[in-house]
């Protein structure tokens, strides 16, 4: 996850073999620093020289009057050498595949693809990879991998929405800021009170889900058939990106080495300290 230049360096230097980032428009993290067109070229060049793939996020719903600008952004990234674009909008997916037949298109987790039928439809459309919804169990992921011909990507660490991926309207209804337009206000992260007959039954961060951490089940995920493991964090610091990347690189390599798979308490503690929502 690369929200700025220092995060790009941190990810690459700590063992990532692919990064994803947004331009200054049409991405689901408009509040991170992101990259303008010149920085985009520079980022792609930096990654390519180090054999790291680059994925551009255009992972929001596109309005009709923005469509041409969105295609122009894809064109600029394509000419700069981007490896793939991660897209939510189905109409934009179709147009990109028609216009840039050699460019990989990845279905964003914002599409909420959570079963074989969804993957099959995206496969028919011409998508190269599907980033599954974050709510799935390993056995569900494994079943999808066995029954599809496209690459499957899953999130292995980071924030989890209380809603199903990409379906939240809470922020837009409360404050006019839509997660499907890249400006989620994180309404679910606020404190709330649960009332019964006007008396408070419970209060606190009742809707704020804990972050995902898959260190303990990483070998199972690797055996499921997924082609790519994804870390969330474009709104996080470069230090977060570097630390989380380095720890998962270490344990992916360990899981593939044939040696006993044991997670060190010190590594788990580092992940808890760098960011956590209360355990």
């Amino acid at each position: 996850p690369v929200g700025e230049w220092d995060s790009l360096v941190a990810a690459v230097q700590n063992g990532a073999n692919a990064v994803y980032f947004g331009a200054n428009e049409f991405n689901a993290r408009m509040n991170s620093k992101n990259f303008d067109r010149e920085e985009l070229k520079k980022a792609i060049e930096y990654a390519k020289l180090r054999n790291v793939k680059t994925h551009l996020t255009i992972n929001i719903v596109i309005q009709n009057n923005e469509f041409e600008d969105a295609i122009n952004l894809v064109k600029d990234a394509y000419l700069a050498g981007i490896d793939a674009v991660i897209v939510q909008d189905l109409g934009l997916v179709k147009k990109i595949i028609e216009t840039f037949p050699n460019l990989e298109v990845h279905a964003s987790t914002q599409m909420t693809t959570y079963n074989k039928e969804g993957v099959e439809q995206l496969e028919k459309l011409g998508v190269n990879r599907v980033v599954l919804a974050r709510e799935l169990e390993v056995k569900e992921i494994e079943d999808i991998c066995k029954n599809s011909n496209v690459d499957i990507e899953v999130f292995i660490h980071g924030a989890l929405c209380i809603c199903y991926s990409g379906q939240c309207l809470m922020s837009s209804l409360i404050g006019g800021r839509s997660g499907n337009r890249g400006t989620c206000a994180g309404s679910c992260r606020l404190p709330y009170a649960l009332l019964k007959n006007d008396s408070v039954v419970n209060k606190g961060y009742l809707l704020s889900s804990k972050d995902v951490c898959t260190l303990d089940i990483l070998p199972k995920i690797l055996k499921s058939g997924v082609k790519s493991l994804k870390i969330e964090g474009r709104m996080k610091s470069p230090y977060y990106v570097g630390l989380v990347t380095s720890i998962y690189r270490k344990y992916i390599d360990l899981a593939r080495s044939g040696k006993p798979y044991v997670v060190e308490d010190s590594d788990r503690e580092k992940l808890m300290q760098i960011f956590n929502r209360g355990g």
Side-chain angles (χ1 to χ4, degrees), residues 73-114:
L73 170 59
V74 177
K75 181 182 177 183
D76 288 347
Y78 178 72
L79 293 173
I82 201 81
D83 290 292
V85 287
I86 305 170
V87 190
Q88 176 183 8
D89 191 294
L90 280 169
L92 187 61
V93 166
K94 191 169 185 291
K95 188 67 174 176
I96 292 170
I97 290 168
E98 289 171 359
T99 312
F100 308 96
N102 298 321
L103 178 61
E104 277 202 19
V105 177
H106 298 176
S108 168
T109 190
Q110 299 291 120
M111 281 196 188
T112 325
T113 311
Y114 57 85

Side-chain angles (χ1 to χ4, degrees), residues 1-3 20-35 55-62 66 73 85-89 92 107-111 134 155 159 161 165-168 171 177-186 230 232-236:
V2 179
Y20 66 103
F21 47 76
N24 281 341
E25 62 266 82
F26 309 128
N27 85 80
R29 293 289 182 269
M30 291 305 293
N31 294 324
S32 62
K33 287 185 181 178
N34 296 312
F35 295 81
H55 302 165
L56 179 69
T57 56
I58 311 180
N59 52 344
I60 62 167
V61 175
I62 305 293
E66 300 169 333
L73 170 59
V85 287
I86 305 170
V87 190
Q88 176 183 8
D89 191 294
L92 187 61
S108 168
T109 190
Q110 299 291 120
M111 281 196 188
R134 301 181 197 189
F155 277 89
C161 298
S165 298
Q167 298 296 301
C168 187
S171 176
R177 291 173 55 183
S178 171
N180 285 301
R181 294 285 295 159
T183 55
C184 175
K230 193 169 196 172
E232 182 273 341
R234 279 196 292 139
M235 298 284 286
K236 304 284 202 311

Side-chain angles (χ1 to χ4, degrees), residues 43-61:
I44 293 167
E45 184 179 331
Y46 177 87
K48 272 192 180 302
L49 285 169
R50 290 155 182 84
N51 200 30
V52 173
K53 290 193 171 183
T54 51
H55 302 165
L56 179 69
T57 56
I58 311 180
N59 52 344
I60 62 167
V61 175

Side-chain angles (χ1 to χ4, degrees), residues 195-214:
L195 306 179
K196 184 178 181 181
N197 299 329
D198 294 330
S199 61
V200 177
V201 178
N202 195 2
K203 63 180 180 179
Y205 296 93
L206 305 181
L207 296 178
S208 185
S209 57
K210 302 285 192 289
D211 279 27
V212 171
C213 176
T214 63

